[in-house]
Amino acid sequence: MSPALNPGAAPLSRRAVGDAVDRVRGTFTFAVDRRIEGTLHAVAVRSVAPHGRITSIDAADALAVPGVVAVIDGSHVAADDGISPWYGENRADQPVLAIGKVRYVGEPVALVIADSRATAEAAAAQVWVDIEELPHVVDPVLAGAPDAPQLHDEWPNNDSGTWTLVHGDAERAMATAAHVHTATYTSPAQNHVPMEPHSATGAWLPDGSLEVWTGTQSPYVVRQRLATMFRLDPDRVRVRGDSLGGAFGSKIDLRLEGLVALASRAVGAPVRMELRRDEVFQSASKHAATVTMTTGVDEDGLLVARIIDIVWNSGAYALQTPRSSRTGMIRSPGPYRIPHVLARSVARYTNTVPTGPFRGAMTGQVCWAHESAADEIAAELGVDPVEWRRRNLLRDGDAFATGDVMHEMHYVDLLTAVDDALTADAPPTSSTRTRTRRRGRGVAAVLKTTRTPTRSEAQVQVDAEGQVAVRTSAVEMGQGAAASLAEMAARRLDMPAEDVSVSWPDTGWTPFDQTTSSSRTTFATGLAVERAASDLRACIAQQVAQPWGITPDQVVHRDGCVSSPGDPAQRMTYADVVRSSGAGELVGTGRYETPPGAGRLDPETSQGNVSVHFHQGVVGVEVEVDTETGRVHVLRAHGATYAGRLIDAERARKQIEGGMLFGLGQAVMEETLYEAGQMINPNLSDYQIPSLLDVPLTSSTVLSDADPDAEPHGIGESTVPPMAPAVANAVHDAVGVRIRDLPVTAEKVLRALREKQADDRKN
Amino acid sequence: MRPFRYHRPGTVAEAAQLIADLGEDGAILAGGTSLMTLARLGLAEPQHVVGLAGVPELCGIEGNSGDGITLGAMATLRQVETIPPVRRLAPGLAEAAHQVATVRIRNQATVGGTLVHADPSQDLPPMLMVYDAVARLTGPTRTREVPVAELFVDFFETVVDPDEILTSVHLPPASLGVIAGYLKFLPRTQDDYATISVAAGLTVVDGCIDTARIAVAGGGSTPQRCREAESALVGGGTDVAGLAAAADLVPEALDPVSDARGSGDYKREMARISTRRLLQRLVSESAT
Ligand SMILES: Cc1cc2nc3c(=O)[nH]c(=O)nc-3n(C[C@H](O)[C@H](O)[C@H](O)COP(=O)(O)OP(=O)(O)OC[C@H]3O[C@@H](n4cnc5c(N)ncnc54)[C@H](O)[C@@H]3O)c2cc1C
């Protein structure tokens, strides 16, 4: 047993507004910078086979390396009565270390624990793992074939989630459509590429409880998983978080926490792990997907029916796929008024890196389909694609494919804003346009649901020094969540946001929050913080009202002080109020929870109230295509979203514009490639993300609701999914070729151009 | 990364002696941008590292039109990009250096490291071939000169012996009169390695091409001179058709690998397009 990592300490906190200075100077502390004295280091030995049975693991040579303390593998885990090694959100199909079988290249097979990372790394290369290879499958469509290799005995047909959505009678309505369009769109596995790699430190305390420091987006989910895995009461697990250097979904649910807890349990000391870049690539992936979409429209181009078939690649383990594949399916009809919709979704296990949420989760894949299809349909009808969307986009009172009657719909305004921005600028000068360079414009729209049901709790407190602290388990990962939460509390307390500190998550101290994902923090955690701050405000007013002989609601709050309206002598700072109260601090609590029943859907038809509100985004881009090379240059991008009640315009713009840059890489260059069951580009030279030099001119529109009681809406993802189809639509506008297979690489565009030229010559 | 002992000689002679003594256990370190990356990936595991940063003889760039240009092995790519004699006398080389990665890498990476690392997609080697550059090598018993065009053997392999130090690279004065340029084709990010890149140099006399050099990076296991295309140009005019015909000969000289940057066929085709575009650009520059 080891000493507490930081016994009894209150959660760490810091001023949230203005932390950019530290980020720029390099003095900001990220999770990966966290060092705890006396820790040992673990490195995973990973499978080099995509699928196989482990026949032996020989750690003798590794154990002989000076500095190595222990080597543990799945057999130790399976033999330990104190451990339930299998985990997952919906089905416990993933072992913390491979037990008996490996299912993808990179799967952790053993852990080497040593006094330094370098020693552990060197020794890991000397753990000899014998694997009897089994046939493998990486393509989710092939994984559904009757004779396909089976990954999990308990889950036949490699099925990791099957769902349907039935709204009206799509098959019958399709037969009546004046015009039917059908096409298949594919998108590949991609990596989140957070700049900061994953890291975690775990320790067992003398009282048998478990403490983990980790770079996670979901401290309470991690706590629950660890409690289940180590058969502890959740209160006996303390998960402490830091700020993250990017996550994008890759740091949700259990990542390294199970491994460091396991290692620490084996050696009786704190153990730290940090991933190399290739291991980051091997730890989480976006779901590859194939979407076939058949759409019927009437004579006026109005949507009549849509039938959608989706196959997701969940990778070797399901994690959240059984739930999230349904979420993706529900968003697949797009933000349109369609009376009849039938969607069928199946997710399949394959011998590839396990998948997880990915900024714009499960939406990029389906948005790629419905927004490419939108332009194709408009072209076939001879209608301008912006006009076609305007006719069909959801408006207030329309029914969505789940039967939800829509409210706060702003699609038409968002589309108009984007269209105006693209056309308002002076047309490009002709000097940059040559015979081989063609320009084009494209737009795309997206609808995303937010996590429903959901729950967040918050505390806001003021101490005798007048220090105001927000305590939540929300995670700051570069999105500015901490600053927004500080601002929301400060406004309720009528004080400067600069004077409010915000906690890091610490399940030992900070209240429950579901996760920092799904663009839910400003909305759900933010509302909880506002309620906590209002509660504190009322508590402060209560303290002074009676002595001053007024009612609490007559108390005036201003600049961190309270006063009595009639009597200027009656004025106290918040600190004075705390001191005179006799308590060490005054605490307000708040909680946000979606209404009962929200998010409950029919199991067969997926009809019901799917989301408390809908994330709405529209993106427009202008591209230049080199007709001799196929090179697509995105010149500018305009994003628009609806923010509900706006908390901070600048941060909102950064999310919108940053989202487009994140989407740009997925649109034109990002793809993890497999050969013989092995990822062949798990590094940032072969797998590239846009660099600063690739950034187009970006601009944005944020629509909002001025009503102070309106709810804030999430905006962190709304411009990610539409980026790829907007680019493909712009490429089509420029040179007349349609790419249906992401990413839109130069080589694909050139091939399509050559085919088109050959066809044009024939005709 | 496995720990190693670091040695810091002050002269070429000392360095050469150390390298000879250490044999297989030693590795030369210049800017470290490649060697340290390989070491971190476990692809190089030297026990001794001989750093050349403290050898003044290897630093610096000198040049004039009479003597040509000499690049010290430890000259950084940023110096090659920015130093006036290179910009004035061999602007094509400054242009190629400017295309390497990012300023951060260019401040660290060196001329010697670039050549001995011998990644076939690097930017400087084809341009040095266009300028007929010659590398000077010092070994335990001899010094020798090898044209850059004959330096490369295979992926990451050169004729430089393990106990030889590349001390400098010389661009002969006769080569400095060419109109040279570099075209790096980057379909993904702007700081990527080339999918394919072309370096070319021409002299044009009375509307007629007098000398021609074309070299391609990313087209195979080493950077390559494209001698057939060069021959097709010499003696001909500067009309687009002639340039295009020469460019059409480039793909045959290449055998690029298919990878994340594109298929072999695509790279060949891009070499053709890039060569034609670059030649057209050089011809139009020669006319002004
Ligand atoms: C992020 C990144 C991006 C890059 N992008 C590009 C790019 O776009 N274009 C491009 O051309 N290159 C690119 N490179 C490669 C870069 O050009 C090389 O890494 C660099 O030139 C090597 O020089 P160095 O001085 O750092 O060599 P080192 O890493 O120090 O050495 C490289 C090799 O050369 C040997 N060596 C070094 N000097 C001598 C000498 N004088 N005599 C004998 N042997 C010697 C070393 O032993 C070692 O084997 C990139 C590299 C990185 C890390």
Side-chain angles (χ1 to χ4, degrees):
Chain A
M1 293 295 127
S2 52
L5 299 185
N6 198 347
L12 297 171
S13 64
R14 44 54 224 276
R15 303 265 176 247
V17 175
D19 68 11
V21 176
D22 276 335
R23 291 175 190 275
V24 172
R25 288 202 177 127
T27 48
F28 193 85
T29 313
F30 295 100
V32 76
D33 300 321
R34 176 75 49 200
R35 290 292 182 285
I36 286 129
E37 239 177 89
T39 43
L40 298 174
H41 300 264
V43 166
V45 178
R46 292 174 184 274
S47 172
V48 293
H51 196 194
R53 261 182 259 291
I54 302 170
T55 51
S56 75
I57 298 177
D58 178 358
D61 290 348
L63 284 165
V65 174
V68 171
V69 178
V71 178
I72 50 176
D73 62 43
S75 64
H76 301 107
V77 175
D80 187 334
D81 283 343
I83 301 177
S84 306
W86 302 88
Y87 68 97
E89 185 188 279
N90 310 89
R91 40 172 96 161
D93 62 359
Q94 183 163 6
V96 61
L97 278 176
I99 296 174
K101 203 176 164 187
V102 291
R103 295 181 179 84
Y104 70 97
V105 173
E107 175 159 15
V109 171
L111 281 180
V112 177
I113 305 147
D115 57 8
S116 77
R117 209 173 146 216
T119 303
E121 188 93 44
Q126 298 191 49
V127 174
W128 311 112
V129 181
D130 278 333
I131 293 172
E132 178 196 322
E133 280 215 41
L134 296 167
H136 67 266
V137 60
V138 300
D139 180 320
V141 176
L142 298 180
D147 57 349
Q150 298 294 309
L151 271 79
H152 298 268
D153 296 340
E154 316 81 306
W155 304 102
N157 306 321
N158 294 318
D159 187 326
S160 51
T162 296
W163 296 101
T164 47
L165 178 148
V166 184
H167 182 70
D169 186 344
E171 272 159 349
R172 213 173 59 205
M174 193 70 75
T176 71
H179 184 87
V180 175
H181 170 270
T182 185
T184 296
Y185 306 88
T186 59
S187 44
Q190 294 170 326
N191 190 263
H192 310 73
V193 194
M195 278 299 114
E196 180 203 35
H198 302 62
S199 66
T201 304
W204 291 82
L205 307 192
D207 66 359
S209 69
L210 172 62
E211 192 166 316
V212 172
W213 275 100
T214 176
T216 183
Q217 292 174 254
S218 55
Y220 271 89
V221 176
V222 170
R223 185 178 80 148
Q224 184 56 51
R225 295 278 183 275
L226 291 174
T228 308
M229 184 173 286
F230 296 100
R231 305 198 170 146
L232 296 169
D233 188 282
D235 288 344
R236 311 264 293 149
V237 181
R238 181 172 176 195
V239 177
R240 313 187 62 177
D242 278 297
S243 292
L244 309 185
F248 310 115
S250 71
K251 297 172 182 171
I252 291 178
D253 214 304
L254 211 59
R255 295 288 164 197
L256 295 179
E257 299 86 356
L259 293 172
V260 293
L262 201 61
S264 171
R265 182 182 167 90
V267 298
V271 178
R272 178 175 189 275
M273 273 184 93
E274 175 184 332
L275 295 184
R276 296 184 311 264
R277 180 58 60 183
D278 59 322
E279 294 179 295
V280 173
F281 273 93
Q282 288 171 334
S283 295
S285 167
K286 181 180 177 182
H287 294 73
T290 300
V291 181
T292 299
M293 191 166 274
T294 301
T295 310
V297 293
D298 70 11
E299 264 107 38
D300 300 322
L302 294 177
L303 284 159
V304 173
R306 181 160 262 179
I307 298 175
I308 307 149
D309 281 288
I310 311 171
V311 181
W312 307 92
N313 185 343
S314 72
Y317 297 102
L319 209 69
Q320 302 179 319
T321 305
R323 170 179 60 84
S324 65
S325 56
R326 181 189 215 186
T327 313
M329 173 193 73
I330 284 169
R331 299 166 184 165
S332 68
Y336 300 105
R337 184 174 56 253
I338 318 175
H340 303 276
V341 180
L342 172 63
R344 293 174 287 234
S345 165
V346 57
R348 297 219 187 271
Y349 291 116
T350 66
N351 297 106
T352 60
V353 170
T355 49
F358 187 102
R359 190 175 184 187
M362 310 308 268
T363 311
Q365 299 92 330
V366 294
C367 181
W368 170 237
H370 67 67
E371 287 311 281
S372 298
D375 267 44
E376 292 187 44
I377 293 163
E380 287 177 10
L381 298 172
V383 180
D384 175 72
V386 171
E387 174 54 28
W388 184 85
R389 285 181 177 80
R390 201 169 274 139
R391 281 184 212 166
N392 285 286
L393 281 166
L394 288 164
R395 297 167 195 246
D396 282 352
D398 287 341
F400 180 58
T402 49
D404 274 279
V405 176
M406 303 306 267
H407 53 92
E408 289 187 271
M409 287 288 101
H410 295 274
Y411 279 110
V412 175
D413 290 341
L414 295 172
L415 180 68
T416 303
V418 167
D419 193 39
D420 286 352
L422 283 187
T423 48
D425 291 5
T429 53
S430 59
S431 66
T432 58
R433 268 202 287 199
T434 67
R435 199 175 45 84
T436 57
R437 300 230 166 120
R438 301 279 168 70
R439 290 197 178 182
R441 292 174 183 156
V443 302
V446 72
L447 171 146
K448 200 177 162 290
T449 49
T450 188
R451 190 83 184 262
T452 308
T454 201
R455 177 162 65 92
S456 289
E457 293 171 8
Q459 291 170 6
V460 179
Q461 62 181 58
V462 56
D463 66 15
E465 269 74 58
Q467 302 288 320
V468 174
V470 172
R471 284 185 180 181
T472 75
S473 296
V475 179
E476 172 59 44
M477 48 195 188
Q479 82 280 45
S484 286
L485 296 178
E487 246 161 58
M488 292 171 93
R491 276 181 210 156
R492 290 291 154 121
L493 290 167
D494 285 294
M495 60 178 295
E498 288 73 15
D499 294 344
V500 176
S501 68
V502 179
S503 67
W504 272 271
D506 177 347
T507 62
W509 286 83
T510 55
F512 178 84
D513 202 5
Q514 192 169 26
T515 71
T516 298
S517 68
S518 196
S519 303
R520 65 179 291 286
T521 302
T522 304
F523 160 59
T525 319
L527 287 177
V529 165
E530 285 185 340
R531 288 169 188 182
S534 295
D535 187 40
L536 175 60
R537 181 188 171 106
C539 173
I540 290 168
Q542 197 80 48
Q543 296 290 327
V544 295
Q546 206 188 7
W548 289 350
I550 54 177
T551 60
D553 58 332
Q554 287 176 309
V555 173
V556 177
H557 295 252
R558 229 180 127 188
D559 295 335
C561 293
V562 278
S563 57
S564 169
D567 183 356
Q570 303 289 27
R571 190 168 184 279
M572 287 171 96
T573 64
Y574 289 167
D576 294 336
V577 178
V578 177
R579 278 195 289 266
S580 70
S581 76
E585 59 199 22
L586 296 176
V587 183
T589 60
R591 166 192 174 97
Y592 172 80
E593 192 162 15
T594 43
R600 202 174 298 147
L601 300 177
D602 182 275
E604 303 296 324
T605 63
S606 300
Q607 298 297 290
N609 169 220
V610 63
S611 183
V612 285
H613 62 241
F614 294 85
H615 299 155
Q616 303 163 56
V618 179
V619 159
V621 300
E622 177 160 8
V623 304
E624 186 170 87
V625 182
D626 185 325
T627 56
E628 286 184 324
T629 66
R631 169 89 165 91
V632 176
H633 196 82
V634 178
L635 302 173
R636 58 195 175 114
H638 187 91
T641 190
Y642 174 68
R645 173 157 55 89
L646 185 59
I647 306 304
D648 182 87
E650 193 50 38
R651 277 195 292 278
R653 286 188 187 288
K654 285 182 177 133
Q655 284 300 310
I656 296 174
E657 296 179 29
M660 292 194 291
L661 301 183
F662 191 77
L664 174 65
Q666 292 149 47
V668 299
M669 64 182 86
E670 293 183 44
E671 174 170 20
T672 47
L673 300 166
Y674 283 83
E675 245 175 56
Q678 174 158 6
M679 195 190 293
I680 55 166
N681 57 344
N683 63 70
L684 294 180
S685 176
D686 295 317
Y687 184 106
Q688 293 226 314
I689 58 169
S691 76
L692 274 182
L693 296 172
D694 302 298
V695 172
L697 273 176
T698 56
S699 52
S700 49
T701 302
V702 192
L703 298 184
S704 60
D705 186 339
D707 180 350
D709 293 326
E711 283 184 357
H713 286 206
I715 51 160
E717 301 168 280
S718 310
T719 54
V720 177
M723 197 61 189
V727 168
N729 290 340
V731 168
H732 186 269
D733 183 44
V735 294
V737 301
R738 170 63 54 189
I739 306 297
R740 298 192 183 93
D741 171 31
L742 275 179
V744 184
T745 63
E747 184 166 0
K748 285 182 200 166
V749 172
L750 185 66
R751 198 182 308 129
L753 272 166
R754 296 269 163 98
E755 281 164 13
K756 180 173 180 291
Q757 281 157 8
D759 284 352
D760 290 351
R761 264 197 301 275
K762 257 185 268 163
N763 300 333
Chain B
M1 184 166 77
R2 182 187 287 182
F4 51 75
R5 251 199 85 191
Y6 182 65
H7 306 264
R8 202 166 194 272
T11 64
V12 171
E14 251 182 82
Q17 191 58 52
L18 265 170
I19 304 283
D21 293 349
L22 292 168
E24 289 209 328
D25 296 340
I28 296 174
L29 180 83
T33 58
S34 289
L35 186 66
M36 288 300 108
T37 310
L38 294 177
R40 277 167 151 255
L41 294 172
L43 297 173
E45 299 196 312
Q47 289 169 28
H48 296 267
V49 164
V50 180
L52 299 182
V55 184
E57 307 157 60
L58 297 176
C59 298
I61 294 176
E62 280 171 18
N64 58 61
S65 52
D67 300 326
I69 297 177
T70 301
L71 311 169
M74 289 298 287
T76 66
L77 300 189
R78 182 69 171 160
Q79 288 171 328
V80 176
E81 175 191 4
T82 55
I83 271 178
V86 179
R87 293 184 75 102
R88 206 174 55 246
L89 301 170
L93 188 62
E95 187 188 352
H98 174 69
Q99 296 275 322
V100 176
T102 58
V103 175
R104 213 168 125 226
I105 296 290
R106 298 201 289 276
N107 273 330
Q108 188 66 23
T110 65
V111 169
T114 275
L115 288 174
V116 180
H117 181 52
D119 181 323
S121 299
Q122 283 177 313
D123 299 301
L124 235 48
M127 205 68 229
L128 287 169
M129 291 178 175
V130 162
Y131 281 108
D132 292 337
V134 176
R136 294 195 171 127
L137 310 174
T138 296
T141 54
R142 57 166 183 170
T143 58
R144 57 178 180 137
E145 296 196 339
V146 179
V148 172
E150 292 162 26
L151 201 62
F152 303 102
V153 179
D154 206 338
F155 290 102
F156 305 102
E157 198 182 324
T158 66
V159 299
V160 182
D161 289 331
D163 57 2
E164 280 183 312
I165 297 173
L166 191 155
T167 53
S168 67
V169 178
H170 184 66
L171 282 61
S175 74
L176 300 181
V178 300
I179 293 169
Y182 188 64
L183 201 163
K184 182 175 185 179
F185 179 58
L186 292 167
R188 301 196 302 175
T189 66
Q190 291 305 297
D191 57 10
D192 196 4
Y193 279 94
T195 286
I196 201 87
S197 66
V198 182
L202 301 175
T203 50
V204 181
V205 181
D206 299 332
C208 207
I209 294 174
D210 195 41
T211 68
R213 294 279 183 280
I214 297 173
V216 174
S221 58
T222 66
Q224 274 145 297
R225 277 274 297 271
C226 298
R227 293 184 197 264
E228 292 200 1
E230 293 173 1
S231 308
L233 288 171
V234 174
T238 58
D239 53 297
V240 178
L243 302 180
D248 287 346
L249 298 173
V250 168
E252 286 160 41
L254 307 177
D255 185 18
V257 292
S258 296
D259 60 17
R261 290 179 178 81
S263 69
D265 284 345
Y266 181 65
K267 292 179 181 179
R268 262 201 212 95
E269 175 64 358
M270 291 306 99
R272 184 179 76 85
I273 301 283
S274 301
T275 305
R276 197 199 68 218
R277 288 181 172 184
L278 178 61
L279 292 173
Q280 281 180 270
R281 186 192 115 193
L282 297 181
V283 161
S284 73
E285 282 174 18
S286 79
T288 57

